[in-house]
Amino acid sequence: MSLPTSLLTRPPTVRPGPGPTRRTASLVVTPEVVAHRGASGHRPEHTLDAYRTAIRMGADALELDLVPTADGVLVARHENELSRTTDVAERPELAHLRTTRVVAGTTLTGWFSEDLTLAQLRTLTARERMPGLRPGNTRHDGREGVATFTEVLAMLGAESTRAGRSIALLVEIKEPAYFAGRGIAVEEPLLADLARYGLDGPRSPVVLMSFDGGVLRRLAARTRLPLVRLLDLGDDVGPAALDEIETYADGLGVHHELVLPRTPEGFLAPATGLVRDAHRRWLGVHVWTLRAENRFLAREHRRGADPAGHGDVGAAAAALLAAGVDGLITDHPDLVLPAVRALA
Ligand code: G3P
Ligand code: CA
C-alpha cells in the first residue's frame, strides 16, 4: 500500500511569528480536518460507515481509538467498557462477563474489551453513544459490528485508492498503563499491525497519539511515525512540560479550551499562548473536539435554545484557525471543512 504523507510528517513550511495581521501562523500550509471517531456526528462512532462517511465528506484524516480484546487483538472503540456503544448488555450469553473495574481512577461496571475474545466481540453490534442528542444516528444502530484495527487499515487503503488522495489516520492508544497492569501489551500488536500493512515507514500517513507520555516515550525509540501527546483541561502546559514533551513528540493534541478558553458566562475568551509556545518548539497543535450541537459551543456560536440543535461550528473552527492551530478534530467534518477552505 502506498499512500501520500500526512501533513504532520511534512517539514513545516510556514514559520510562526509576527505577521502583518493579528492571525497566528500555523505550522502547516493548510490545517488538517480530522474526523473524530469517523463522522460521528452523523453515524455511530467508530463504524466503518462513520469512517467512509467522513472520507466522502472530504476529511483529511480519521481519528481512531484502540483497545485490546482478551486475545490481544486491537479494536476500534473509544473505551474498553463496551455497553455505551454496543448491544453487549442485551447478550445473555455474555452476561457472566459483566464486572466492575477501575480504569484511570474511575470505577466502572459493565463488559470490558479485555474480557471478550475477538470471536465474542464479533457477535456485538455498534450503536449511537448519544441517542438523545443525535437521534437520527440511531437508525444506523445494529448495522455493523466492532471493527478491528486491521480492518480499519484495509478500509483506509481501499478508500484512499478510491478517492485518489491520501487519508491520514490519527491513532489514539487508550489506557496503555491500565492494560499493561493487566498483562496486556498494546504497543506490540499496534506496531505489528502497522508493519503488516506497510504503514510503519517514513511515508506512512499514520500518527500515533496518547494521553500517556510513557507509551509515547517508549514508541519514540521504536518507530519513526509522528507522535502526538494529548492534553486535557487541567494538564500542565507550562514551559517545562512542553520542553519535556518536545523530547519525544512531534505535536500536541489538546482540548480546544486550552487554546480558546471560555469566560465564566460561556463566551470565548482571548487565546492562550499555547499555540505560540508549542510552535516555538516545532510542536504542531491539533485541537479536539469540535461538535456542532449547541451544548458544546461557546455562547456566541449557539443558534437557538435546543442543546441538540446545531450552532455555528464553522465560526468556532474559524476562531481556532485564527489562533493558529494545525488541525481540527471534529465529529462534523462536513461543517468544519468550509472554515478551512475559506483560508485559501
Ligand atoms: O483526538 C483526541 C481526542 O479524541 C481525545 O479525546 O476522549 O475523544 O478520545 P477522546
Ligand atoms: Ca480519541
Side-chain angles (χ1 to χ4, degrees):
M1 183 187 306
S2 168
L3 296 166
T5 322
S6 92
L7 288 171
L8 266 177
T9 63
R10 294 179 192 165
T13 49
V14 178
R15 287 191 172 268
T21 71
R22 288 170 58 230
R23 174 179 287 278
T24 303
S26 172
L27 282 179
V28 293
V29 176
T30 307
E32 194 174 41
V33 174
V34 183
H36 184 243
R37 312 179 197 172
S40 56
H42 302 274
R43 297 287 189 279
E45 68 188 41
H46 286 317
T47 54
L48 295 178
D49 190 17
Y51 304 138
R52 289 193 180 107
T53 300
I55 293 166
R56 238 182 2 255
M57 289 172 167
D60 301 301
L62 305 176
E63 190 260 1
L64 169 68
D65 299 301
L66 291 179
V67 297
T69 64
D71 36 0
V73 179
L74 296 175
V75 296
R77 286 293 94 188
H78 175 261
E79 66 268 350
N80 56 330
E81 201 290 297
L82 299 165
S83 62
R84 287 186 69 189
T85 60
T86 75
D87 61 351
V88 67
E90 289 151 31
R91 298 305 178 100
E93 69 279 14
L94 299 176
H96 64 288
L97 294 178
R98 186 170 186 268
T99 189
T100 298
R101 296 263 160 78
V102 180
V103 184
T106 304
T107 302
L108 299 167
T109 296
W111 290 259
F112 294 83
S113 66
E114 67 271 21
D115 294 335
L116 274 71
T117 62
L118 181 62
Q120 288 172 318
L121 201 90
R122 281 201 187 283
T123 68
L124 306 182
T125 62
R127 58 172 50 163
E128 171 56 41
R129 172 188 296 276
M130 298 186 276
L133 206 65
R134 296 172 174 171
N137 293 4
T138 61
R139 71 179 190 276
H140 304 279
D141 285 358
R143 290 188 182 170
E144 278 191 38
V146 175
T148 64
F149 184 33
T150 55
E151 286 167 349
V152 177
L153 296 179
M155 179 278 304
L156 190 74
E159 293 297 324
S160 295
T161 301
R162 198 190 324 273
R165 65 186 176 93
S166 169
I167 298 144
L169 189 64
L170 275 59
V171 177
E172 181 179 348
I173 307 155
K174 283 292 185 191
E175 306 300 345
Y178 165 83
F179 291 118
R182 300 193 67 80
I184 305 168
V186 290
E187 292 135 84
E188 277 64 33
L190 173 76
L191 295 175
D193 286 348
L194 288 169
R196 198 171 131 207
Y197 279 77
L199 289 169
D200 55 346
R203 294 188 61 78
S204 169
V206 174
V207 174
L208 303 178
M209 311 192 294
S210 188
F211 285 103
D212 184 319
V215 75
L216 296 179
R217 266 184 236 103
R218 292 192 297 279
L219 284 167
R222 300 181 65 179
T223 177
R224 302 280 301 278
L225 294 177
L227 303 175
V228 167
R229 174 66 194 273
L230 297 173
L231 296 167
D232 204 347
L233 293 173
D235 284 340
D236 185 359
V237 294
L242 297 185
D243 284 346
E244 203 266 328
I245 290 171
E246 190 199 0
T247 63
Y248 60 82
D250 303 280
L252 306 178
V254 306
H255 189 291
H256 57 84
E257 288 187 44
L258 288 174
V259 173
L260 284 180
R262 295 194 183 165
T263 67
E265 297 75 30
F267 293 95
L268 287 186
T272 65
L274 180 57
V275 172
R276 178 203 60 216
D277 294 346
H279 284 179
R280 281 182 179 154
R281 293 165 174 83
W282 296 106
L283 292 166
V285 180
H286 280 61
V287 286
W288 47 270
T289 301
L290 276 85
R291 293 177 162 128
E293 290 89 359
N294 283 322
R295 179 178 142 188
F296 302 108
L297 293 170
R299 283 186 62 178
E300 61 266 59
H301 297 146
R302 295 180 199 161
R303 300 289 177 264
D306 179 2
H310 280 195
D312 193 350
V313 72
L320 287 159
L321 292 169
V325 303
D326 305 294
L328 300 162
I329 302 177
T330 175
D331 291 1
H332 295 90
D334 52 328
L335 303 177
V336 165
L337 276 159
V340 174
R341 290 186 185 125
L343 291 178

